[in-house]
């Protein structure tokens, strides 16, 4: 019991994490499968089942802190998507998440990382502070793009933007804001 | 350090690379803590926590996709345009008493005129490469000869526009004559009277007709 109390902040964060993920995933599933008659209740069910799959994979040891090579958000979305395709009995190809985990929840490959340049440690430290406290909607946009490796189309669907172009515009505005914050840090140095 | 920070702000690729690294580190830390937290939760506890997150419903507008929403709006806009268009034609006909229409038919001869003879040597474009007055007049009168009120309105609009240009002065009486006829057909009697009076003052070959119409419009 004592041990669990130590994890209370983590459990609170977990509640927030699933609370934030829920509308994103539901919107994404509706955008992807709505045309097949997939409704709000179906998407809610798939989210619930996807979350349970994540929990089960952790309990079974299939998913650990060490072998998670994509973000937990991407992993969860993939589980929900797999459940949706199962329930629809149709395979719908979605490039963004295809092949990251198999239907059993095992990781099949690493998320590609094409960033060869190793950034300076001090710069990364500064950025860690900046990215931990990004304002809305940049919080979701930049994390979705750089951490979850989402495509512009997938992000537009998840965050309720009209199309990938609007998403790109928002992302470039967010990058501008991020630079402004970094400039302020530079001035204070 | 300052120099490096300045450099990175001017190099988007480097900034993105550092951003990726920072986010992966923070993300890994957060995700690791989440996995550990889930590991310690029983199924009931986990379900309970999930149910708490489901208290706020996702807006129902997302029941159908954004593209369908845009299509629905576009369909409504088209419907409104069609209705407005029908209303527009009807209004033209309602404001256009039968008398004015028959007067127009009696006096309108735009379709019988060979406008090329008015701008000898250049049938469509004048010396400066602009549409000639005769060509614009021909197009406007062609539109006015159509049965629908819309054609008449468009003809009027073009003649009004022509009068704002550097038009051929010898054709002013023709422009004003057909503009008067158009106004009359449209039920804009006061404007029509004004144009017919100008036609008379310009000593146009249409003077007699203009006078007759003015008599009838009293």
């Amino acid at each position: 019991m004592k041990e669990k109390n130590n994890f209370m902040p983590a459990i609170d964060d977990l509640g927030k994490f699933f609370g934030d993920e829920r509308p994103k995933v539901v919107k994404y599933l509706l955008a992807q499968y709505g045309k097949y008659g997939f409704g709000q209740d179906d998407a809610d069910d798939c989210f619930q089942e996807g979350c349970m799959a994540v929990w089960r994979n952790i309990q079974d040891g299939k998913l650990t802190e060490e072998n998670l090579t994509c973000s937990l958000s991407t992993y969860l979305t993939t589980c929900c998507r797999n459940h949706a395709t199962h329930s629809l009995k149709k395979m719908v190809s979605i490039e963004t998440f295809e092949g990251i985990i198999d239907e059993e929840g095992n990781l099949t490959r690493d998320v590609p990382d094409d960033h060869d340049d190793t950034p300076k440690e001090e710069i990364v430290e500064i950025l860690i502070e900046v990215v931990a406290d990004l304002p809305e909607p940049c919080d979701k946009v930049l994390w979705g793009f750089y951490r979850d490796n989402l495509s512009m189309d997938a992000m537009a669907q998840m965050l309720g933007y009209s199309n990938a172009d609007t998403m790109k515009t928002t992302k470039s505005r967010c990058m501008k804001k991020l630079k402004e914050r970094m400039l302020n840090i530079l001035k204070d140095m | 350090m300052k120099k490096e920070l300045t450099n990175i702000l001017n190099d988007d690729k480097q900034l993105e690379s550092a951003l990726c690294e920072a986010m992966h580190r923070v993300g890994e830390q957060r995700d690791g803590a989440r996995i550990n937290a889930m590991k310690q939760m029983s199924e009931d506890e986990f379900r309970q926590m999930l149910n708490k997150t489901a208290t706020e419903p996702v807006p129902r507008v997302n029941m159908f996709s954004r593209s369908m929403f845009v299509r629905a709006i576009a369909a409504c806009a088209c419907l409104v345009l069609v209705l407005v268009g029908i209303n527009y034609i009807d209004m033209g006909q309602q404001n256009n008493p039968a008398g004015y229409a028959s007067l127009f038919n009696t006096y309108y001869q735009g379709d019988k005129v060979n406008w090329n003879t008015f701008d000898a040597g250049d049938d469509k474009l004048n010396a400066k490469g602009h549409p000639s007055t005769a060509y614009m007049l021909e197009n406007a009168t062609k539109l006015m000869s159509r049965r629908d009120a819309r054609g008449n309105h468009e003809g009027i609009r073009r003649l009004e526009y022509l009068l704002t240009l550097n038009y051929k002065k010898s054709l002013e009486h023709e422009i004003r004559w057909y503009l008067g006829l158009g106004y009359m057909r449209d039920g804009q009697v006061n404007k029509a009277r004004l144009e017919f009076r100008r036609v008379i003052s310009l000593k146009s070959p249409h003077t007699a007709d203009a006078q007759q119409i003015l008599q009838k419009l009293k």
Side-chain angles (χ1 to χ4, degrees), chain B residues 70-84:
Chain B
V70 171
R71 274 181 223 160
I73 293 281
C76 288
C78 286
L79 189 66
V80 168
L81 279 175
V82 168
L83 290 173
V84 167

Side-chain angles (χ1 to χ4, degrees), chain A:
Chain A
M1 188 67 185
K2 193 182 173 187
E3 195 185 358
K4 278 192 179 178
N5 281 340
N6 288 340
F7 276 89
M8 278 311 282
I11 290 172
D12 285 347
D13 169 66
L14 203 58
K16 189 183 176 306
F17 169 74
F18 283 107
D20 287 347
E21 288 300 308
R22 186 173 170 271
K24 266 169 62 184
V25 174
V26 167
K27 277 179 196 171
Y28 176 74
L29 294 179
L30 285 172
Q32 288 291 324
Y33 306 115
K35 56 193 166 197
Y36 302 115
F38 198 81
Q40 175 93 33
D41 293 337
D42 301 314
D44 280 333
D45 288 346
C46 283
F47 177 73
Q48 191 82 7
E49 288 306 319
C51 292
M52 289 314 298
V54 172
W55 179 83
R56 270 192 294 272
N57 289 339
I58 291 170
Q59 302 304 322
D60 295 348
K62 284 178 186 169
L63 174 64
T64 64
E65 195 180 342
E66 290 75 32
N67 73 3
L68 179 70
T69 50
C70 60
S71 75
L72 192 60
S73 167
T74 307
Y75 188 92
L76 170 67
T77 310
T78 312
C79 288
C80 297
R81 186 195 67 106
N82 284 348
H83 199 272
T85 49
H86 262 292
S87 64
L88 281 165
K89 304 281 183 206
K90 281 179 184 172
M91 278 310 297
V92 180
S93 165
I94 299 166
E95 209 179 309
T96 317
F97 300 112
E98 204 70 73
I100 291 173
I101 59 170
D102 63 19
E103 290 176 5
E104 297 296 316
N106 298 309
L107 292 158
T108 54
R109 67 171 170 87
D110 287 350
V111 174
D113 186 359
D114 51 4
H115 303 278
D116 297 328
D117 303 331
T118 311
K120 293 268 183 222
E121 190 57 34
E122 296 90 338
I123 302 290
V124 175
E125 290 295 328
I126 291 172
L127 273 168
I128 282 175
E129 277 182 44
V130 176
V131 299
D133 184 32
L134 284 170
E136 288 280 351
C138 301
D139 180 21
K140 291 189 172 77
V141 174
L142 295 182
W143 275 93
F145 191 77
Y146 291 107
R147 167 66 179 154
D148 300 335
N149 291 304
L150 296 176
S151 70
M152 287 292 178
D153 280 320
M155 273 210 294
Q157 287 167 353
M158 284 180 168
L159 304 178
Y161 286 80
S162 53
N163 53 41
D165 288 337
T166 326
M167 199 70 249
K168 273 182 201 166
T169 313
T170 311
K171 195 212 140 203
S172 66
R173 279 187 199 143
C174 288
M175 284 302 282
K176 217 173 165 182
K177 276 187 188 172
L178 183 104
K179 281 183 183 178
E180 280 168 15
R181 285 197 172 198
M182 289 183 75
L183 264 175
N184 288 337
I185 292 172
L186 186 68
K187 278 177 195 166
D188 294 339
M189 276 179 152

